[in-house]
Amino acid sequence: MALSNRLKNLPPHFFASLVRNVQEALSEGRDVINLGRGNPDQPTPPHIIKALQEAVEDPTTHGYSPFRGTAELKQAVADFYKREYDVHIDPKTEVAILFGTKPGLVELPLAIMNEDELLLLPDPGYPDYLSSVSLANIKYNLMPLLAENDFLPDYSALSDEQKKQAKLMYLNYPNNPTSATATLPFFEETIALAKANDIAILHDFAYGGIGFDGAKPVSFLQAEGAKEVGIEMYTLSKTYNMAGWRVGFAIGNADIIEAISLLQDHLFIDIFPAIQRAATEALSGSQDCVDELVSLYESRRNVLISECKRIGWDVIAPAASFFAWLPVPEGYTSESFTKLLLDKADIAVAPGHAFGKYGEGYIRVGLLESEDRLKEAVARIEKLDIFSR
Ligand SMILES: Cc1ncc(COP(=O)(O)O)c(C=O)c1O
């Protein structure tokens, strides 16, 4: 049976080959320190698990759930945005519940774009943004995220043609893979560009819950006029270690939310109501677990960065997310350095070019191993004798 063109054109999943290489090394009995993943290593907090257990025991969760999410979860989303960001959200018209944000990111172009229209994507960026390009049969252009611009897109580099053609733009701060953060003035500049050129904005706030040194990442919706031009997507995967539960949400512009909800009416019924209750507990219950998680990642960051500096590796400490974006040493490419680390030091990392052309020259390291393992990883790199102090 032949695949549809839409599936044939899907981008190859780069991380499949990374996982394969790591599996191969593990099967040879090697002690691989895997810093290549983006999967949170901590369990879901107990009060959220308890909420799920209780909800599962309640037969009212066993039938079909209402289309478009439970009123209870949508209210919890609105309360969460008010409490965390002082943003007012109408739970009835400005919230769509998602099966995690990955499906939402793929659905959005299907919901609001027509064939051959233009999507602007960051480079480097989360590779799954590209899935929507072939599924929705649209065009895309890449916006370079450069170190000299603090890994923010330079809108003055967009041509008049690009601004005229673009229907939608994706942004993501704190950023995967660069870990860069955005500022309110940057979002205000984005909104002005969007209004002047009629471009819808999607801000992927997947790492919104993880900011270091007491600095809370800024929500796009905190910027004046954001709801007039776009939406934000938030996932419970990272803030609450719920990646396997598949729950997130989109909030903001009511027309875009309606478009996503309409598409979802035809694709799904809804998330298991018991999971929606647990998600409600995550957003509304004690947030101590989030503070603890952030300080765990912050300590790991401190260990990783101070160890890298100790061996003479000139790195910049991430201010948010659970990734560090480290420059490869002179004489190496992202690919050759990644290979060297796996072959000679049993360390897996994600090579920067897997996230786009402008990721070349970097590797992405996850803060998803214990402090001891991070220290051990840098000690192994030290033995390769690459850096001079
Ligand atoms: C930038 C970014 N956006 C979205 C996602 C998707 O998260 P989920 O589908 O678990 O909500 C991820 C996951 O790694 C991510 O890194």
Side-chain angles (χ1 to χ4, degrees), residues 26 105 118 129 163 165 194 199 226 246 259 300 307 310 348:
L26 287 170
L105 293 161
L118 181 66
Y129 296 149
K163 286 192 269 195
Q165 286 187 2
I199 304 172
R246 312 310 305 136
R300 289 177 179 179
E307 285 297 291
R310 182 185 62 73

Side-chain angles (χ1 to χ4, degrees), residues 81 95 112 151 174 177 191 268 275 284 289 292 325 369 382 384:
Y81 259 70
V95 180
I112 64 167
F151 299 107
I191 292 164
F268 322 109
I275 289 187
S284 321
C289 57
E292 284 159 19
W325 187 236
E369 287 277 353
E382 185 179 18
L384 300 175

